[in-house]
Amino acid sequence: MAKRCDLYYFSGTGNTEHLVGLLAAELGKREYEVRTIKIEEVRKKGLSVSVEACELVGIAHPVLGFDCPGLVYAFLESLPQARKPVFLMKSAGDYHAINNGSGKLAIRLLAKKGYDVFHDTIIPMPCNWLLSYDDRLNRALVEAAAGKVKALAAALAAGERKQLPIGPVARRILRLIGILEDQYGAKYFGKYLRAGKACTLCKKCVNHCPSGNISVVEGKIAFGEKCMWCMRCMYACPAKAIDNRYMNMFILKGGYSLRRIQALPYEAIDFGAKKLGLWYRYFRAYF
């Protein structure tokens, strides 16, 4: 009889959702019946959450500001008390240990509710914020992620325990950065977003904003101060009409499309070569 796994996730521009799809398929091969559930839908619709029928619970999200997104924290706070094994899977724009603290508060919140977070992992994906890797490296990261997810599924099925190491001082500093990013940086970024003349008022940004930060006021797209800095509205806009009045340096000039990256031909990279670009040298240890 198949074991049930409920996998709750938030994905800004598709990286985490891609990993969730891969993981659901891999766990399915290991006799798990996986339900994937969007956290933003649970929050927007006020859906009740029950994990009693689950043998395994998963939480997946991108790392934002070296931390867990505020939307996900709110979801964790709403979870019922239960004694269930939980795993965390996060996507990030790099593999550096600086992101290792992104699950620590979530683990504590879950532990207070009786959950056993036995596995915590981060899987690098193409960066969609500030830093733009070239297409070849982005495609290689997506290819490598499939192997990482396969290994993760095997570890979860075996009940393998894993915690990401980070020192207490670094954890506190990075948690402070996460708070500042969530409560101040993201709000200011959202406040100064704007839809230009190319906007067709299709309302895609309004309908799909995870925090409800976007609305229509007097026939124009308006942005508030509930932004999560997930970048979804800008990259998903059909007319490419959204930018930021003062903080465009954080928006990739060519936009971001995981589908476009996936459609590229995969070309193996010789990371042992002496002459490599900056980001290739950075990811050498990961590959």
Side-chain angles (χ1 to χ4, degrees), residues 20 31 53 102 201-202 220 244 250-251 259 264 278-279:
V20 165
E31 299 184 349
S102 57
L201 210 64
C202 70
K220 295 182 180 180
N244 194 286
F250 293 105
I251 305 171
R259 287 186 179 181
L264 296 171
L278 172 64
W279 293 117

Side-chain angles (χ1 to χ4, degrees), residues 199-249:
C199 175
T200 63
L201 210 64
C202 70
K203 299 182 184 178
K204 185 174 182 179
C205 57
V206 177
N207 296 331
H208 295 284
C209 177
S211 62
N213 186 58
I214 310 173
S215 59
V216 178
V217 178
E218 297 181 354
K220 295 182 180 180
I221 297 296
F223 299 87
E225 297 184 10
K226 296 188 291 183
C227 180
M228 293 173 55
W229 221 334
C230 75
M231 315 298 281
R232 182 188 294 175
C233 60
M234 288 157 289
Y235 298 147
C237 175
K240 308 299 180 188
I242 302 174
D243 68 354
N244 194 286
R245 190 172 302 168
Y246 303 115
M247 304 167 75
N248 274 334
M249 76 285 291

Side-chain angles (χ1 to χ4, degrees), residues 8-223:
Y8 295 91
Y9 73 96
F10 165 69
S11 184
T13 57
N15 285 353
T16 303
E17 187 167 49
H18 173 68
L19 298 178
V20 165
L22 292 176
L23 183 59
E26 289 295 334
L27 287 174
K29 298 175 184 177
R30 292 164 173 80
E31 299 184 349
Y32 278 90
E33 178 189 349
V34 183
R35 296 197 315 164
T36 58
I37 305 149
K38 292 184 177 182
I39 289 174
E40 63 191 87
E41 292 298 317
V42 173
R43 299 293 299 166
K44 283 182 178 180
K45 297 178 180 179
L47 303 177
S48 60
V49 176
S50 174
V51 298
E52 288 305 315
C54 300
E55 280 78 25
L56 184 62
V57 179
I59 309 293
H61 63 81
V63 176
L64 300 181
F66 313 113
D67 204 352
C68 175
L71 177 74
V72 178
Y73 277 133
F75 169 74
L76 297 180
E77 293 279 11
S78 72
L79 284 175
Q81 292 280 338
R83 294 190 176 277
K84 296 289 180 178
V86 176
F87 68 89
L88 305 181
M89 178 179 70
K90 291 157 285 185
S91 63
D94 63 48
Y95 71 100
H96 198 283
I98 198 170
N99 288 316
N100 284 3
S102 57
K104 299 307 180 186
L105 179 56
I107 291 172
R108 291 202 299 273
L109 290 173
L110 287 163
K112 288 180 180 179
K113 291 177 175 284
Y115 298 92
D116 173 27
V117 183
F118 72 99
H119 203 97
D120 183 16
T121 195
I122 297 174
I123 299 177
M125 286 287 284
C127 188
N128 60 7
W129 183 86
L130 184 63
L131 303 174
S132 181
Y133 309 146
D134 69 34
D135 281 345
R136 190 182 178 202
L137 179 55
N138 282 334
R139 184 65 183 84
L141 284 168
V142 173
E143 190 75 15
K148 297 292 184 182
V149 169
K150 187 174 183 178
L152 172 60
L156 296 176
E160 180 181 307
R161 302 190 73 87
K162 176 185 177 182
Q163 298 296 324
L164 297 171
I166 189 167
V169 175
R171 176 173 55 79
R172 289 183 175 89
I173 292 173
L174 294 170
R175 173 59 186 147
L176 176 59
I177 292 174
I179 292 171
L180 293 174
E181 187 274 342
D182 182 61
Q183 297 185 12
Y184 297 98
K187 289 182 179 181
Y188 280 109
F189 183 80
K191 180 179 179 180
Y192 294 114
L193 286 171
R194 60 187 178 181
K197 294 180 180 179
C199 175
T200 63
L201 210 64
C202 70
K203 299 182 184 178
K204 185 174 182 179
C205 57
V206 177
N207 296 331
H208 295 284
C209 177
S211 62
N213 186 58
I214 310 173
S215 59
V216 178
V217 178
E218 297 181 354
K220 295 182 180 180
I221 297 296
F223 299 87

